[in-house]
């Protein structure tokens, strides 16, 4: 049997298990495995799921937070209703979406932000990884607007250039930051999850006054990768522009 056959079969196995248990996605098992290992969601918690469509993680978050919990999901795409969850259509990088999330909280405080966010993949790994790095960094910045001291944050990341900058930015904000690759992810996949626990009451000195995005930009600068804001307006979230240092 080829390695590819084995990987496809394993992926299908997770999909079959998820379907048989009523979960909308195989990814639901990734959050279940993160939960088994780190117990990030506690009964009664208020959970924000960023990039929630089509709703597999929402289903798990509703189960784990229980009857006293509150689960809010946000995605660019519409998500069919999930019992026990509030779903918002919006771009997490927009202030108006942050406002709508705040309005949906019924005065409660979010304890955990989980994110399986992924850009529209182009199939070109460097481009996809760069856009994903920016998106995950923006989700960390958004999470910092909600998660209180002691709270947790999880995001998907694609391995590659610049990731260490995001890990460092996370470590400046949380006391416990670990990478975790659930077995429900494809073994060939370069995706992994950054699990950040125990938000610090104060960001570490190195990061004071900076957003995570600014820190990641600085990190890319140190690597010799110049970073510029995209000039053109585009509908989708546009990633960092990697420019050759010698180019003008
Ligand atoms: C892999 S899917 C999430 C699957 C989900 N965890 C589940 O189990 O059903 C990633 C999602 O991120 C969403 N996304 C990408 N960019 C976003 C943004 N800027 N704001 C909100 N959602 C975004 C995509 O629309 C997509 O639905």
């Amino acid at each position: 049997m080829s390695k590819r056959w084995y990987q496809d079969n394993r992926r299908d196995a997770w999909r079959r298990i998820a379907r048989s248990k009523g979960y909308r996605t195989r990814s639901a098992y990734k959050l279940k495995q993160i939960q088994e290992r780190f117990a990030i969601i506690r009964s009664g918690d208020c959970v924000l799921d960023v990039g929630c469509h089509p709703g597999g993680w929402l289903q798990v978050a509703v189960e784990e937070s229980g009857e006293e919990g509150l689960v809010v999901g946000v995605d660019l795409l519409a998500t069919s209703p999930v019992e026990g969850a509030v779903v918002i259509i919006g771009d997490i990088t927009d202030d108006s979406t942050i406002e709508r999330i705040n309005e949906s909280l019924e005065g409660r405080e979010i304890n955990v932000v989980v994110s399986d966010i992924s850009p529209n993949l182009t199939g070109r790994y460097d481009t996809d990884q760069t856009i994903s790095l920016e998106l995950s960094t923006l989700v960390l910045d958004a999470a910092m607007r909600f998660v209180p001291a002691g709270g947790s944050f999880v995001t998907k990341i694609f391995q590659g250039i610049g990731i260490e900058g995001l890990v460092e930015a996370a470590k400046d904000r949380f006391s416990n930051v670990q990478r975790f690759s659930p077995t429900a992810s494809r073994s060939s996949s370069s995706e992994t999850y950054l699990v950040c626990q125990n938000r610090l009451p104060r960001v570490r000195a190195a990061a004071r006054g900076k957003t995570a995005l600014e820190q990641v930009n600085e990190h890319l600068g140190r690597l010799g990768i110049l970073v510029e804001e995209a000039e053109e307006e585009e509908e989708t979230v546009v990633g960092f522009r990697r420019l050759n240092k010698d180019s003008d």
Side-chain angles (χ1 to χ4, degrees):
M1 302 294 171
S2 72
K3 194 174 168 202
R4 177 69 189 270
W5 179 90
Y6 175 76
Q7 284 165 353
D8 286 351
N9 224 21
R10 195 175 86 152
R11 192 170 69 223
D12 287 348
W14 281 112
R15 191 168 289 137
R16 278 196 298 276
I17 292 169
R19 201 169 291 155
S20 72
K21 300 284 181 193
Y23 293 112
R24 294 181 186 182
T25 55
R26 174 175 58 90
S27 293
Y29 272 86
K30 300 179 196 171
L31 182 57
K32 280 170 93 67
Q33 290 173 355
I34 292 168
Q35 176 67 6
E36 269 165 29
R37 172 77 179 271
F38 298 96
I40 47 158
I41 304 173
R42 289 160 304 183
S43 179
D45 269 355
C46 184
V47 183
L48 173 65
D49 178 5
V50 181
C52 65
H53 172 86
W57 278 35
L58 284 178
Q59 291 174 295
V60 175
V62 167
E63 279 170 16
E64 297 294 337
S65 59
E67 292 210 342
E68 302 299 317
L70 174 66
V71 177
V72 177
V74 60
D75 202 291
L76 297 170
L77 304 174
T79 304
S80 310
V82 171
E83 201 179 333
V86 177
V87 180
I88 293 167
I89 300 175
D91 182 337
I92 191 61
T93 67
D94 278 356
D95 280 345
S96 63
T97 306
I98 302 290
E99 271 168 39
R100 283 161 57 221
I101 294 170
N102 273 322
E103 286 162 12
S104 72
L105 294 179
E106 302 161 7
R108 293 182 58 167
E109 190 176 57
I110 286 176
N111 308 99
V112 187
V113 175
V114 292
S115 181
D116 192 24
I117 200 159
S118 179
N120 271 338
L121 299 178
T122 65
R124 291 189 302 277
Y125 188 76
D126 279 0
T127 306
D128 292 336
Q129 192 265 335
T130 305
I131 297 173
S132 164
L133 172 62
E134 181 180 49
L135 206 46
S136 298
T137 307
L138 289 168
V139 177
L140 170 57
D141 277 329
M144 298 311 288
R145 296 166 78 163
F146 295 110
V147 175
S152 304
F153 168 64
V154 174
T155 188
K156 173 152 73 190
I157 53 174
F158 290 98
Q159 305 280 13
I161 291 175
I163 284 301
E164 295 307 325
L166 175 54
V167 174
E168 284 313 308
K171 284 183 176 171
D172 285 332
R173 292 161 174 80
F174 292 86
S175 73
N176 187 5
V177 176
Q178 295 183 61
R179 294 180 214 206
F180 178 68
S181 299
T183 54
S185 289
R186 281 180 264 173
S187 59
S188 60
S189 171
S190 55
E191 84 178 12
T192 186
Y193 290 83
L194 203 58
V195 181
C196 310
Q197 292 174 289
N198 192 25
R199 180 179 174 173
L200 298 166
R202 235 184 135 198
V203 71
R204 290 192 208 281
R208 256 170 234 158
K210 292 179 192 170
T211 63
L213 188 63
E214 286 165 345
Q215 287 185 272
V216 171
N217 274 332
E218 285 174 6
H219 174 78
L220 290 172
R222 283 194 295 276
L223 292 179
I225 298 165
L226 298 182
V227 178
E228 284 186 352
E229 290 281 318
E231 282 161 19
E232 65 271 37
E233 292 253 320
E234 291 191 23
E235 265 191 17
T236 49
V237 179
V238 177
F240 303 106
R241 279 238 195 119
R242 284 190 197 171
L243 302 177
N244 188 315
K245 210 174 180 184
D246 299 328
S247 64
D248 48 25

